């Protein structure tokens, strides 16, 4: 199937339902292309894939979709100016229908491998006609009916009511019989005028048979028994022995899709007939390819399946059938179909064999030049299409890279607001309940004094890379890093009622990761961090123009920082506010150890607690609670990986190989895991994800029998 039909279906979906629906249709059908080249061949089933995918996405019935798409076909053809051909195909609507097969033959110059349907009319009356539709493709009946109704209305200002009479399978074809009801005002009007004119001409003009066969050098005359009585002088040069043989045993009928019988030929006198010889063209005196099949249907099917190079071995004639009452015979007035000059030479034909009045001789000579020009134009169009696709892919890739960089700088929700034109002030928001975590490295200043600047940078990169992997698992957002200080928040920019729990789980994992980092450098045999946590209200927004940053403001930030400064190495110090929040939401989830009060400011004291252990596994956050900057990278191409913070390999003099032993590959983010699970279950991408279901599953998993889990790293973790 050529891209013209596929492009028509895609254009209808885009114009009717929008680009977002088209994207979903592509996903459901497995199609990746956005544009379809008009003269490029595609899979026969692609059109039905798109239609059924559109049905799944929009809920519109398939038959209704096919009818509506067929109705829009005439308007779509104006894009390629094919509508001008339709306007001159017939003076009346019945003439137009009778000329459809001829139109498809003309289109073969543009679409050489076209496999069109066949139409013919019968039982024409003042109130309509019976239309026979045959096609090798099934499932396009409603599409054709939509085309017929629309063209009758657009070109002939006629309303047509279609009545389906019968559907049958005939010669591997779908044969549909329809009665078209319309006001056929021109019925008998033109026929009467022609008969009156014809009678007057016959009385004055007589033509002998010799002149007749001279005028039409490739004519074939056969009687009711299908036996050939005479042939033209041109055909006599290459097939002299066929006189006296049956035409349906000498030639195969390729078009129209009917039985090669007298009665059916008489019904299709308005159609173009294409005949192809049963015997191959004699290429030399010693070789003659002859097909031995006795099954005519089988031979015809073989010719249809042949590629162009194979079909050129057989003589093909195209022309018109008409009945000669004086001879009681049917005359086939045709001309040879030649793809190129070498084929004509091999067949034994020459230019002089064609009648002088016949434009075929000019077409044969011009076809070589026109074919070269057409191939050049098609090549240029294909090259432009490829360049456009490449540019579109590059544009999409750059868009993904830009988005990835933007989401590394700002939360995705905030970045999207700014991209939609909202001001930075409009993006500011107050959050009544968030939990903030600060960490820093113990004796980092002393450590830096013994390391070179490059070693310090590499040292921090390893630590923060591991920490970044942790935050993607716990649904928290990294606000910033200043030197050795690492700031994380939960509850902003995405709100959640489990912000304190997510932060404590994240801080606990930070301690575990820090405990694993041993013997990274001779001057820094182990790493110890302090962690401080506090919950409260903040105001969050984007600050800056040249390098915008997402910042948090409020006393909560100050108190969380004070918690970190007052904490001990490899300990998590939390405020009374965070402690109470955990106990109120899930009593006994964490085991705390009460510590001394600390002064915040102006003699303001606050009770503090050390986190000792947790009961049960960490809570899995909902995908919508994750502002993960790595979510966007999971579906990206490999060449974009350099934009992320990868696991870095370092020189041997700086770090020992023991670092590699404890580095675990980062697990997928909760968002990606949820998507993978949905795909395994066969759900579509546009199926809403229920946060409630995920949260319920997580809550139930956390209520398993609680075994105390000590989150304080033991000596074994430090290698001692």
């Amino acid at each position: 199937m050529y891209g013209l039909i596929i492009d028509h279906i895609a254009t209808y979906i885009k114009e009717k339902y929008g680009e977002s629906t088209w994207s979903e249709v592509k996903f459901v059908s497995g199609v990746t292309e956005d544009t379809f080249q008009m003269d490029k061949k595609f899979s026969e089933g692609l059109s039905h894939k798109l239609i059924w995918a559109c049905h799944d996405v929009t809920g519109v019935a398939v038959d209704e979709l096919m009818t509506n798409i067929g109705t829009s076909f005439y308007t779509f053809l104006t894009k390629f100016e094919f509508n001008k051909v339709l306007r001159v195909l017939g003076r009346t609507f019945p003439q137009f229908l009778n000329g459809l097969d001829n139109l498809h033959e003309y289109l073969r110059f543009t679409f050489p491998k076209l496999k069109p349907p066949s139409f013919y009319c019968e039982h024409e009356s003042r109130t309509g006609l019976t239309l026979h539709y045959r096609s090798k493709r099934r499932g396009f009946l409603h599409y054709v009916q939509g085309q017929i109704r629309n063209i009758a209305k657009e070109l002939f200002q006629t309303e047509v009511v279609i009545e389906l009479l019968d559907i049958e399978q005939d010669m591997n074809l779908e044969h549909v019989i329809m009665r078209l009801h319309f006001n056929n005002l021109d019925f008998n009007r033109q026929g009467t005028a022609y008969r009156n004119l014809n009678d007057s001409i016959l009385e004055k003009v007589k033509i002998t048979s010799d002149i007749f066969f001279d005028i039409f050098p490739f004519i074939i005359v056969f009687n009711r028994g299908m036996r050939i009585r005479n042939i033209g002088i041109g055909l006599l040069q290459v097939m002299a022995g066929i006189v006296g043989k049956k035409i349906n045993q000498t030639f195969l009928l390729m078009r129209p899709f009917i039985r090669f019988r007298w009665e059916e030929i008489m019904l299709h006198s308005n159609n173009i007939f294409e005949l192809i010889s049963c015997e191959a063209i004699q290429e030399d005196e010693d070789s003659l390819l002859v097909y031995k099949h006795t099954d005519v249907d089988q031979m015809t099917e073989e010719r249809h399946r042949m590629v162009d190079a194979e079909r050129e071995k057989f003589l093909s004639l195209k022309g018109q059938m008409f009945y000669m009452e004086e001879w009681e015979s049917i005359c086939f007035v045709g001309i040879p179909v030649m793809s190129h000059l070498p084929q004509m030479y091999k067949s034994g034909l020459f230019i002089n064999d064609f009648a002088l009045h016949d434009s075929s001789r000019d077409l044969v000579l011009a076809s070589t030049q026109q074919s070269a020009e057409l191939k050049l134009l098609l090549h240029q169009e294909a090259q432009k299409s490829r360049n456009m696709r490449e540019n579109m892919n590059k544009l999409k890739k750059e868009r993904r890279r830009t988005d990835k960089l933007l989401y590394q700088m700002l939360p995705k929700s905030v970045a999207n607001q700014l991209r939609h034109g909202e001001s930075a002030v409009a993006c500011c928001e107050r959050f009544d309940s968030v939990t903030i975590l600060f960490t820093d490295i113990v004796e980092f200043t002393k450590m830096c004094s013994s390391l070179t600047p490059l070693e310090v940078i590499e040292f921090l990169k390893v630590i923060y890379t591991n920490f970044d992997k942790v935050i993607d698992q716990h649904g928290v957002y990294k606000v910033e890093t200043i030197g050795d200080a690492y700031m994380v928040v939960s509850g902003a920019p995405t709100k959640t009622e489990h912000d304190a729990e997510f932060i404590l789980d994240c801080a606990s994992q930070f301690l575990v990761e820090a405990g694993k980092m041993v013997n990274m450098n001779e001057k820094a045999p182990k790493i110890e961090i302090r962690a401080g946590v506090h919950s409260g209200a903040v105001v969050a927004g984007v600050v800056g123009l040249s390098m915008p940053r997402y910042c948090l403001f409020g006393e909560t930030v100050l108190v969380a920082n004070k918690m970190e400064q007052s904490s001990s190495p490899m300990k998590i110090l939390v405020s009374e506010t965070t402690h109470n929040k955990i106990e109120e939401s899930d009593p006994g989830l964490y085991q705390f150890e009460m510590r001394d009060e600390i002064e915040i400011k102006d003699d303001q004291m606050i009770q503090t607690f050390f986190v000792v252990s947790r009961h049960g596994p960490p809570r899995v956050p909902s995908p919508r609670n994750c502002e993960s900057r790595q979510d966007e990278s999971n579906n990206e191409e490999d060449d974009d990986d350099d934009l992320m913070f990868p696991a870095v390999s370092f020189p041997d003099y700086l770090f020992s190989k023991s670092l590699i032993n404890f580095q675990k590959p980062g697990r997928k983010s909760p968002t990606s895991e949820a998507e993978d699970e949905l795909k395994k279950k066969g759900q579509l991408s546009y199926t809403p994800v229920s946060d409630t279901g995920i949260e319920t599953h997580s809550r139930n998993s956390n209520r398993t029998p609680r075994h105390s889990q000590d989150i304080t790293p033991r000596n074994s973790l430090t290698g001692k």
Side-chain angles (χ1 to χ4, degrees):
M1 178 173 290
Y2 278 99
L4 179 70
I5 301 299
I6 307 298
D7 190 35
H8 172 217
I9 296 173
T11 301
Y12 173 82
I13 295 174
K14 293 176 186 176
E15 293 178 352
K16 178 69 175 179
Y17 301 105
E19 290 289 342
S20 60
T21 300
W22 168 242
S23 298
E24 293 184 7
V25 169
K26 287 199 303 177
F27 176 82
V28 175
S29 62
V31 175
T32 57
E33 295 95 335
D34 274 321
T35 58
F36 301 91
Q37 191 174 330
M38 178 183 69
D39 59 333
K40 180 180 177 182
K41 294 205 69 178
F42 292 88
S43 168
E44 290 289 335
L46 180 56
S47 57
H48 290 294
K49 283 185 180 179
L50 292 174
I51 295 296
W52 278 96
C54 185
H55 160 71
D56 290 339
V57 174
T58 63
V60 180
V62 172
D63 292 347
E64 182 180 350
L65 280 172
M66 292 294 279
T67 302
N68 294 339
I69 294 174
T71 302
S72 67
F73 185 65
Y74 179 77
T75 304
F76 172 76
L77 289 181
T78 59
K79 177 180 177 181
F80 305 99
E81 297 190 349
F82 286 146
N83 61 316
K84 296 179 180 179
V85 180
L86 296 180
R87 285 203 299 263
V88 298
L89 193 58
R91 188 179 303 276
T92 64
F93 184 52
Q95 290 179 0
F96 174 88
L97 295 175
N98 279 316
L100 285 176
D101 278 19
N102 304 339
L103 171 65
H104 290 139
E105 291 302 320
Y106 303 148
L107 292 178
R108 284 183 184 273
F109 291 104
T110 306
F111 308 101
K113 297 182 180 180
L114 187 68
K115 297 179 181 178
S118 178
F119 298 86
Y120 78 91
C121 304
E122 64 177 0
H123 303 150
E124 183 180 354
S125 66
R126 295 275 299 181
T127 59
L129 54 83
T130 300
L131 178 66
H132 292 255
Y133 159 70
R134 285 188 173 97
S135 176
K136 291 187 176 181
R137 298 185 177 97
R138 293 177 172 83
F140 283 87
L141 173 59
H142 293 278
Y143 181 75
V144 171
Q145 289 178 341
Q147 291 177 331
I148 292 173
R149 291 191 187 96
N150 182 251
I151 289 175
K153 183 176 181 180
E154 293 288 338
L155 298 183
F156 304 100
Q157 292 74 48
T158 301
E159 295 291 338
V160 176
V161 177
I162 300 178
E163 178 187 0
L164 184 62
L165 300 181
D166 191 20
I167 300 178
E168 58 186 27
Q169 306 303 320
D170 182 18
M171 295 173 56
N172 297 323
L173 303 174
E174 184 178 60
H175 181 193
V176 180
I177 305 175
M178 298 173 280
R179 182 67 186 179
L180 308 187
H181 300 278
F182 60 95
N183 190 7
N184 192 6
L185 295 176
D186 295 315
F187 179 68
N188 284 336
R189 184 182 302 170
Q190 293 181 346
T192 302
Y194 175 77
R195 283 193 295 271
N196 295 335
L197 179 62
N198 192 35
D199 292 340
S200 63
I201 292 177
L202 289 176
E203 293 175 359
K204 300 177 181 179
V205 180
K206 299 292 183 180
I207 300 177
T208 64
S209 59
D210 292 339
I211 297 176
F212 188 77
F213 285 101
D214 256 352
I215 295 175
F216 304 108
F218 296 97
I219 192 173
I220 302 175
V221 180
F222 58 95
N223 58 21
R224 287 182 178 271
M226 305 299 287
R227 199 167 297 277
I228 298 175
R229 298 179 61 184
N230 209 339
I231 57 176
I233 58 174
L235 198 58
L236 192 65
Q237 303 296 325
V238 291
M239 301 185 73
I242 66 172
V243 176
K245 295 182 179 180
K246 288 193 173 184
I247 188 172
N248 53 4
Q249 294 178 356
T250 308
F251 292 92
L252 299 176
L253 180 61
M254 305 301 291
R255 294 191 63 82
F257 297 143
I258 61 173
R259 300 283 183 181
F260 204 176
R261 297 171 181 170
W262 177 279
E263 295 79 9
E264 298 206 30
I265 293 173
M266 293 294 290
L267 290 174
H268 294 76
S269 58
N270 290 323
N271 293 96
I272 287 182
F273 283 72
E274 182 180 353
L275 307 181
I276 188 168
S277 62
C278 294
E279 296 182 355
I281 298 172
Q282 186 173 357
E283 298 186 357
D284 53 57
E285 295 181 357
D286 300 325
S287 64
L288 181 63
L289 300 176
V290 182
Y291 270 71
K292 301 299 184 182
H293 295 299
T294 57
D295 189 345
V296 175
D297 292 343
Q298 183 179 355
M299 294 176 67
T300 306
E301 187 63 27
E302 286 183 0
R303 297 297 194 279
H304 279 294
R305 290 198 300 265
M306 280 183 180
V307 297
D308 293 342
E310 289 293 327
R311 291 188 64 176
E312 288 176 1
K313 298 178 181 179
F314 301 86
L315 180 63
S316 180
L317 301 173
K318 184 184 295 185
Q320 180 183 1
M321 298 275 191
F322 62 90
Y323 178 66
M324 293 284 289
E325 187 175 354
E326 294 81 356
W327 296 350
E328 295 184 353
S329 301
I330 291 179
C331 297
F332 171 70
V333 181
I335 57 173
V337 179
M338 297 292 167
S339 301
H340 44 72
L341 294 178
Q343 183 186 1
M344 175 182 287
Y345 179 76
K346 289 181 180 179
S347 66
L349 292 174
F350 295 88
I351 294 296
N352 286 337
D353 292 333
F354 292 82
L356 291 175
H357 65 82
D358 191 352
S359 62
S360 300
R361 56 194 298 153
D362 299 326
L363 291 175
V364 170
L365 291 173
S367 63
T368 303
Q369 178 182 354
Q370 292 178 349
S371 176
E373 293 176 353
L374 180 60
K375 287 181 180 179
L376 178 61
L377 291 174
L378 293 177
H379 175 73
Q380 292 175 345
E381 182 182 351
Q383 185 62 39
K384 289 180 181 179
S385 179
R386 283 194 297 269
N387 292 339
M388 182 178 297
R389 285 196 297 269
E390 290 175 2
N391 292 334
M392 289 295 295
N393 291 334
K394 289 179 181 178
L395 180 62
K396 290 179 180 179
K397 184 176 179 180
E398 290 303 318
R399 174 68 178 269
R400 290 196 299 265
R401 292 167 64 91
T402 304
D403 289 347
K404 189 181 298 182
L405 287 172
L406 181 61
Y407 295 152
Q408 288 177 349
M409 297 173 59
L410 299 172
K412 183 177 179 180
S413 56
V414 176
N416 289 336
Q417 286 181 278
L418 294 175
R419 289 175 60 179
H420 292 153
E422 296 187 22
S423 64
V425 176
C427 295
C428 293
E429 185 177 359
R430 174 182 171 84
F431 296 90
D432 294 326
S433 178
V434 302
T435 301
I436 298 176
L437 164 67
F438 275 97
T439 67
D440 76 343
I441 301 173
V442 178
E443 297 184 349
F444 178 71
T445 304
K446 180 180 178 181
M447 189 183 304
C448 290
S449 63
S450 60
L451 299 175
T452 66
L454 179 60
E455 290 176 335
V456 172
I457 293 174
E458 299 289 359
F459 179 78
L460 290 176
K461 183 180 291 186
V462 173
I463 297 173
Y464 291 160
T465 297
N466 290 331
F467 283 6
D468 288 344
K469 294 177 181 178
V470 171
I471 66 173
D472 290 324
Q473 301 173 18
H474 294 284
V476 299
Y477 177 74
K478 182 174 78 172
V479 180
E480 61 181 348
T481 56
I482 303 176
D484 65 325
Y486 195 97
M487 180 181 177
V488 177
V489 64
S490 180
T494 303
K495 298 179 181 180
T496 175
E497 59 181 1
H498 305 293
D499 53 290
E501 185 177 347
F502 290 153
I503 283 292
L504 292 187
D505 290 342
C506 181
S508 303
Q509 191 63 32
F510 281 175
L511 297 185
V512 174
E513 293 296 328
K516 294 177 181 178
M517 299 179 193
V518 295
N519 300 324
M520 294 175 61
N521 189 282
E522 296 177 355
K523 303 171 185 178
K526 68 175 182 177
I527 297 176
E528 293 184 329
I529 65 172
R530 288 189 297 263
V533 178
H534 179 61
S535 302
V538 296
V539 174
V542 178
V543 177
L545 295 177
S546 59
M547 291 186 64
R549 297 175 62 188
Y550 186 73
C551 299
L552 305 180
F553 303 94
E555 186 177 348
T556 304
V557 180
L558 174 65
V559 175
N561 189 28
K562 190 68 174 178
M563 290 293 107
E564 176 267 315
Q565 295 174 5
S566 304
S567 184
S568 301
M570 304 304 286
K571 294 286 187 180
I572 305 172
L573 186 66
V574 303
S575 66
E576 185 176 12
T577 306
T578 303
H579 169 269
N580 294 340
K581 191 170 186 178
I582 289 289
E583 291 298 320
E584 290 174 1
S585 62
D586 202 341
L589 180 61
Y590 275 91
Q591 181 180 350
F592 296 96
E593 177 185 342
M594 182 179 293
R595 304 299 294 174
D596 298 333
E597 293 184 348
I598 62 173
E599 182 180 356
I600 302 301
K601 62 177 182 178
D602 300 333
D603 296 329
Q604 180 182 354
M605 306 299 292
I606 186 171
Q607 181 65 54
T608 62
F609 298 83
F610 276 143
V611 179
V612 177
S613 63
R614 175 195 169 96
H615 298 281
R619 180 185 298 275
V620 178
S622 162
R624 295 183 183 177
N625 289 332
C626 297
E627 277 288 346
S628 170
R629 281 164 285 209
Q630 292 189 5
D631 283 350
E632 297 297 322
S633 67
N634 289 332
N635 297 323
E636 302 299 338
E637 299 178 1
D638 293 337
D639 8 8
D640 289 341
D641 290 343
D642 56 284
L643 294 177
M644 303 305 297
F645 296 116
V648 184
S649 58
F650 304 103
D652 294 337
Y653 74 88
L654 186 59
F655 303 113
S656 69
K657 294 182 179 179
S658 63
L659 175 62
I660 303 176
N661 296 332
F662 65 78
Q663 283 185 332
K664 299 179 180 178
R667 57 169 279 191
K668 288 186 177 180
S669 68
T671 303
S672 299
E673 290 182 347
E675 289 175 353
D676 291 345
E677 189 64 22
L678 288 174
K679 290 177 181 178
K680 289 179 182 178
K681 295 179 180 179
Q683 297 184 19
L684 301 178
S685 64
Y686 52 83
T687 303
V689 182
S690 172
D691 281 355
T692 306
I694 298 176
E695 292 288 359
T696 303
H697 173 75
S698 175
R699 188 178 301 113
N700 292 336
S701 66
N702 288 336
R703 295 189 181 278
T704 56
R706 295 177 175 176
H707 302 286
S708 179
Q709 177 185 0
D710 193 347
I711 62 174
T712 305
R714 303 299 183 188
N715 291 336
S716 60
L717 294 176
T718 62
K720 295 182 180 180

